[in-house]
Amino acid sequence: MTVKYTEDHEWVKVEGDIATVGITVHAQDALGDVVFVDLPSVGSTLAQKEVAGVVESVKAAADVYMPISGEITEVNEALRDDPSLANTAPLAAGWFFKVKLSDKAQLDALMDETTYSTFSAS
């Protein structure tokens, strides 16, 4: 299992050719209390950096971007029902969607945890 991070504060956990995507602790801290999430449609194919959804909080709304290209295989219905999971468990139960990777090489451009920690602290 590999975990990578984007400059847009998404995390990607890769297991085989399926990646689980969510927002980072830093992102949910910046947003505040999440009140709504708009998730992509299962079966849709999106390109890297394309808008895949929206997360809205009491403070702001932010786009959620595709960290890697692929087909959406599953969305987190529990998150749709309880958006606060993005705050209480952003790296676990608060995941957003799963993607079947179309180009694993795209992962090489994403940050590892150490690099992301330095990036998000600046």
Side-chain angles (χ1 to χ4, degrees), residues 37-85:
V37 293
D38 181 29
L39 300 170
S41 300
V42 172
S44 59
T45 299
L46 299 169
Q48 187 176 34
K49 301 208 181 267
E50 203 170 339
V51 175
V54 175
V55 59
E56 293 181 12
S57 72
V58 291
K59 289 197 231 174
D63 289 333
V64 176
Y65 297 96
M66 284 294 284
I68 40 27
S69 299
E71 180 185 345
I72 305 299
T73 59
E74 187 179 346
V75 296
N76 188 351
E77 293 298 341
L79 183 65
R80 199 186 310 261
D81 295 339
D82 182 6
S84 70
L85 288 171

Side-chain angles (χ1 to χ4, degrees), residues 107-118:
L107 294 167
D108 297 339
L110 303 181
M111 294 178 269
D112 62 19
E113 188 168 1
T114 304
T115 306
Y116 177 74
S117 293
T118 302

Side-chain angles (χ1 to χ4, degrees), residues 90-112:
L91 306 177
W95 61 275
F96 279 57
F97 54 86
K98 295 188 180 190
V99 181
K100 184 173 198 288
L101 302 174
S102 60
D103 182 2
K104 275 189 159 179
Q106 291 177 337
L107 294 167
D108 297 339
L110 303 181
M111 294 178 269
D112 62 19

